[in-house]
Amino acid sequence: MAVSIYKWFSLSLLGFVTGFLPGRTAGILQSGTVTSSQHPFHVSVAEINHNAKDKIFEISCRIFVDDFESALYNNYKTKIDLQATDKTAMNKLVKDYILQHLQVKADDKIAPLIYVGYEVESESVYVYLEADKISSVKKIAVTDTVLFDLYKDQISIIHAIVGGNRKSMKLDYPDKQAIFNF
């Protein structure tokens, strides 16, 4: 699987938003909670692409780096640096967090997600997952609570692509489920 292919599919509102935002920094509230301080949008994008040839879902999640680092810090209470040269510790935390906050069902059956990895590009972090043994699909149900534990104004944009047919849905906190019928 070519990780760079996922990037082409992830262009959406998040890409638009990041192009117009000034630099951001993370801040720590008196309670010890880390928050993002200089952007007015809290958006993540998840895309599920059904690769019929390989019978898999190719999944990418795009999240603002500072928001994701804040969520990881608040959950694991350890130093977070997604741009670290040695990604061993960060891979464990990213995998754990994403697998707790993202669930995909194909035709009402849970599609076990396999963590592939992550990469940081500019102000975004891309997290890559797969689900195998998905020969065909007529319905995709996605439960997405990424960053819901951090922001009450979180927006999740979900894209699903099956047979070249792309459908999208915007979820505003507390809504967490998107259902696509193909």
Side-chain angles (χ1 to χ4, degrees):
M1 171 191 61
V3 171
S4 63
I5 291 174
Y6 285 130
K7 291 182 202 173
W8 292 102
F9 293 120
S10 295
L11 297 175
S12 67
L13 178 64
L14 185 57
F16 175 77
V17 170
T18 58
F20 293 99
L21 296 176
R24 297 180 312 267
T25 59
I28 299 178
L29 299 177
Q30 289 178 346
S31 65
T33 302
V34 176
T35 63
S36 174
S37 62
Q38 290 186 350
H39 63 87
F41 300 102
H42 300 114
V43 180
S44 65
V45 178
E47 181 166 292
I48 297 95
N49 181 39
H50 181 246
N51 180 330
K53 179 184 171 200
D54 295 333
K55 299 179 181 177
I56 62 173
F57 279 150
E58 299 168 329
I59 303 165
S60 66
C61 298
R62 186 173 180 187
I63 309 162
F64 282 118
V65 173
D66 61 338
D67 291 345
F68 197 38
E69 286 181 338
S70 295
L72 292 173
Y73 176 81
N74 287 340
N75 278 270
Y76 303 106
K77 303 299 184 214
T78 188
K79 182 181 177 197
I80 304 296
D81 182 5
L82 292 173
Q83 298 182 51
T85 305
D86 181 7
K87 290 185 174 184
T88 306
M90 292 301 102
N91 268 315
K92 182 182 180 319
L93 300 179
V94 170
K95 175 183 177 181
D96 185 62
Y97 184 89
I98 291 295
L99 293 179
Q100 285 184 37
H101 293 275
L102 186 70
Q103 180 186 68
V104 179
K105 291 183 180 180
D107 297 327
D108 297 321
K109 295 178 187 165
I110 292 176
L113 301 179
I114 301 162
Y115 176 76
V116 176
Y118 80 90
E119 67 181 334
V120 175
E121 185 176 293
S122 187
E123 297 177 353
S124 299
V125 59
Y126 291 86
V127 180
Y128 303 107
L129 307 143
E130 290 182 346
D132 57 8
K133 299 179 185 172
I134 312 288
S135 55
S136 66
V137 65
K138 293 184 178 157
K139 177 181 173 184
I140 297 175
V142 180
T143 303
D144 184 346
T145 60
V146 171
L147 301 183
F148 277 25
D149 52 343
L150 192 62
Y151 299 116
K152 301 304 179 206
D153 63 345
Q154 176 65 26
I155 298 168
S156 299
I157 298 173
I158 315 289
H159 303 292
I161 303 165
V162 174
N165 185 8
R166 180 185 178 107
K167 295 186 178 186
S168 300
M169 184 175 282
K170 175 182 164 255
L171 301 174
D172 295 305
Y173 178 91
D175 296 333
K176 61 183 177 180
Q177 188 165 48
I179 298 175
F180 303 95
N181 292 298
F182 294 91

